Structures are given as C-alpha cells and as structure tokens.
Amino acid sequence: MQFLAAFPTRIYLTGFMGCGKSTIGPLLARRLGYTFLDLDALIVQQAGCSIPEIFAAGGEAAFRTLERKALRQTAMMDAYVIATGGGTLVSDDNLAWALRNGRVVYLQVSVDELVRRLAPRAAGRPLLQDRYGRPLRGAALRRRIATLLARRVPWYQRAHHVVAADGLSIAETVEAVLHALRTYRDSRNERR
Ligand SMILES: Nc1ncnc2c1ncn2[C@@H]1O[C@H](COP(=O)(O)OP(=O)(O)OP(=O)(O)O)[C@@H](O)[C@H]1O
Ligand SMILES: O=C(O)C1=C[C@@H](O)[C@@H](O)[C@H](O)C1
Ligand SMILES: [Mg+2]
C-alpha cells in the first residue's frame, strides 16, 4: 500500500505584528481540521497577566523567556496551527527549533499595510508604545514598524514558506497558505 504524505503535523505562522497570524490561524486550522493555538494567549494564560503587564514587570527579556518556554510546549502537539508572536521566531534558536518541529509559514506584509492595520491597534503591543506606555501614532509609529521589520526580515525569510499577503483579503490569505502547503505536500508525494 502506498503511503501518501499528508499535511505537516504542526504549522507555525510567523511575521510582524499585525500581519494576521492570530486572524488567519483559526480559519486555516478549521480548513485543515486542525486545532488552533495562539502562543501569546498561552503565555498570558500561564502567566496570569497581560503581555503589557509582563513587559512592565520584567521587561522584554522576561517576556522572551516565557515565549521560548511556550514555544517548546508545542513540541508534541498533533495537528495544530500555531500563531507565534511577532518576535518568537526572531531568534536563531527558536527559529531553528520551529523549522525542525513543523512547517513555518511567513505572512509577508508591507510597512504601508502594517501601519494601516496597526494604527488603531498599537495599544496592547508594548513594542509599539513610547517610553510612557502611550501607543505610537503617525510618523513615529511608521518609523518604529519600519525599523523593527527591517531588523526582523532576515529571520522571517528563513521560513519554509513565504506567503505574500499584501493586498489579499483574510480569506484569500488563508487560500494562499493552503496553496503553499498543498504544493509542498504534493511535491513530497511525487518524490515517493
Ligand atoms: N487581509 C487581512 N489579513 C489579516 N488581517 C487583516 C487583514 N485585513 C485587516 N486585518 C486586520 O489586521 C489585524 C491583524 O492582527 P492580528 O492580531 O491577526 O496580527 P498578528 O500577526 O497576530 O499580530 P501579533 O504579532 O501582534 O500577535 C486584525 O485586526 C485583522 O482583522
Ligand atoms: O513582535 C513582537 O515582538 C511581539 C508581538 C506580539 O505578538 C507579542 O508577542 C508581543 O507584543 C511582542
Ligand atoms: Mg497574534
């Protein structure tokens, strides 16, 4: 009997804040019959406080420690779509781990589109706030997004799949990710 390779067991969504990991993830999971997990939500649940509270109490380093642990808790999860945080896979260590333990999909979105999406949603994202905890706006928000994104792209681009999501609706982005995963699955089956 010929065994046909199916979709990977774990799919990790990566990309900048606002690229849509938490929005696309549940829809993608439903299409695949997978379970959805949001790593930020897992961290909040286990810490018993919000992300801004974690940053306020222990700085970004404390958050990154929790995030690293949360990522590794997904090791044995079967048939999961996992939305990582925007900075989770911006680390050689975490990225190499995710690349070994699942398929990593980068939702690539331009600075212009990220600014549009994040302008009303900077609150609750500590890296998009000023030193007084006020959400950045206008040119300051754009500068922060552009600087951080440029720094992070070298990690994001090492994903197994890069899905150009600019100009796509939410539903179209789900289809684009499914297309990338199907193409990968079919290429593996052809090689058998
Ligand atoms: N085409 C689109 N694809 C995805 N999200 C979109 C789109 N158009 C608008 N949005 C909105 O942009 C926001 C994307 O935010 P979301 O929380 O999903 O991003 P994220 O990648 O999970 O960010 P973070 O890293 O901060 O968790 C949502 O409010 C979503 O409704
Ligand atoms: O891009 C980041 O570094 C972050 C993104 C969010 O998902 C959260 O994980 C947190 O706000 C940090
Ligand atoms: Mg998210």
Side-chain angles (χ1 to χ4, degrees):
M1 189 173 70
Q2 194 186 12
F3 171 76
L4 287 182
F7 282 113
T9 302
R10 282 168 296 281
I11 295 159
Y12 294 96
L13 300 179
T14 187
F16 201 81
M17 289 172 268
C19 74
K21 304 176 294 294
S22 300
T23 304
I24 301 300
L27 303 174
L28 180 64
R30 195 175 314 149
R31 287 291 298 277
L32 293 169
Y34 280 24
T35 306
F36 173 69
L37 175 75
D38 197 305
L39 213 64
D40 282 335
L42 180 65
I43 294 166
V44 166
Q45 184 200 331
Q46 294 184 344
C49 58
S50 69
I51 292 177
E53 285 166 347
I54 298 169
F55 270 72
E60 184 174 348
F63 178 75
R64 298 298 171 207
T65 302
L66 297 177
E67 184 176 53
R68 186 179 188 284
K69 282 192 197 133
L71 177 65
R72 277 151 186 79
Q73 287 174 38
T74 65
M76 306 306 285
M77 293 179 181
D78 189 28
Y80 267 71
V81 172
I82 297 146
T84 65
T88 312
L89 302 189
V90 183
S91 130
D92 286 338
D93 188 34
N94 284 353
L95 177 60
W97 188 93
L99 288 167
R100 271 197 317 275
N101 283 277
R103 284 310 276 181
V104 180
V105 179
Y106 169 34
L107 301 180
Q108 185 184 47
V109 174
S110 67
V111 171
D112 281 349
E113 179 63 21
L114 290 170
V115 171
R116 267 194 292 277
R117 290 193 199 168
L118 290 167
R121 304 182 180 95
R125 289 179 164 101
L127 296 180
L128 301 181
Q129 295 170 3
D130 67 16
R131 72 181 76 164
Y132 308 107
R134 294 176 306 211
L136 293 171
R137 292 163 48 181
L141 177 64
R142 165 176 285 275
R143 266 198 309 277
R144 177 71 58 87
I145 290 172
T147 305
L148 256 185
L149 179 63
R151 215 180 281 158
R152 291 175 167 196
V153 157
W155 281 273
Y156 293 153
Q157 280 186 330
R158 285 160 58 194
H160 291 116
H161 305 282
V162 178
V163 171
D166 245 26
L168 300 188
S169 68
I170 290 169
E172 287 168 339
T173 305
V174 173
E175 291 307 321
V177 175
L178 282 169
H179 177 73
L181 293 170
R182 276 191 200 115
T183 305
Y184 163 69
R185 178 198 58 188
D186 294 347
S187 73
R188 285 182 70 208
N189 286 336
E190 273 162 23
R191 274 189 263 119
R192 280 164 195 272

